[in-house]
Amino acid sequence: MLIDDREIDLFINQKIIEKFSTESNFKTFTKAKLALEYLDSLDNQASLESMFFPDIILLDINMPEMNGFQFLNKFSELNSEKLNTIKIYMLSSTTNLKEIIDAEQHSACSGFIDKPLSVRRIQQITQEFVLD
């Protein structure tokens, strides 16, 4: 799942992921609140077979309405066993050291990734996911 308010960043990240694996499935959101509502709806589904369920979320920090940290806090409040398996990475071009440290230390965040996303970084993330 990709969450970023900039359409061009979503497009570029989709292409990078497709370059890594043509069989990847993903869902994109330009609003963190809508992504959170989608994830919350997954928790209420008896069966997830027909629904897209993300293994990994790449989340931008700076977005209007709900930023990445607000998303992480609300996601943490969902308190769902189904959703606990999702790895969330902050993907941002921020140079604000406090934001980077806060992302790395947030209990719902698996790590911080600098934009632009790269195939090499996607490989590292998927390896981390497999090892957990």
Side-chain angles (χ1 to χ4, degrees), residues 4-6 9 59-63 67-69 89-104 109 111-117:
D4 197 311
D5 62 313
R6 292 175 35 108
D9 287 342
L59 173 68
D60 188 26
I61 291 177
N62 296 308
M63 296 180 284
N67 69 33
F69 291 107
Y89 293 87
M90 288 284 209
L91 176 63
S92 181
S93 58
T94 188
T95 56
N96 182 325
L97 188 57
K98 181 178 178 350
E99 286 182 334
I100 295 168
I101 292 169
D102 288 349
E104 292 280 355
C109 185
F112 178 85
I113 302 169
D114 286 315
K115 282 184 181 175
L117 186 61

Side-chain angles (χ1 to χ4, degrees), residues 55-79:
D55 294 314
I56 298 169
I57 296 174
L58 300 179
L59 173 68
D60 188 26
I61 291 177
N62 296 308
M63 296 180 284
E65 295 179 37
M66 177 184 282
N67 69 33
F69 291 107
Q70 291 167 322
F71 175 91
L72 289 174
N73 293 336
K74 293 288 186 186
F75 181 85
S76 297
E77 291 171 11
L78 295 178
N79 199 16

Side-chain angles (χ1 to χ4, degrees), residues 32-49:
K33 185 177 180 185
L34 294 176
L36 192 65
E37 289 170 2
Y38 176 83
L39 292 166
D40 190 32
S41 74
L42 291 178
D43 192 37
N44 298 322
Q45 297 291 322
S47 171
L48 295 175
E49 290 178 23

Side-chain angles (χ1 to χ4, degrees), residues 1-2 24-29 38-39 41-42 48-57 86:
M1 180 179 282
L2 303 170
S24 293
N25 295 316
F26 46 86
K27 194 166 186 64
T28 63
F29 291 91
Y38 176 83
L39 292 166
S41 74
L42 291 178
L48 295 175
E49 290 178 23
S50 64
M51 303 286 291
F52 170 81
F53 190 86
D55 294 314
I56 298 169
I57 296 174
I86 300 171

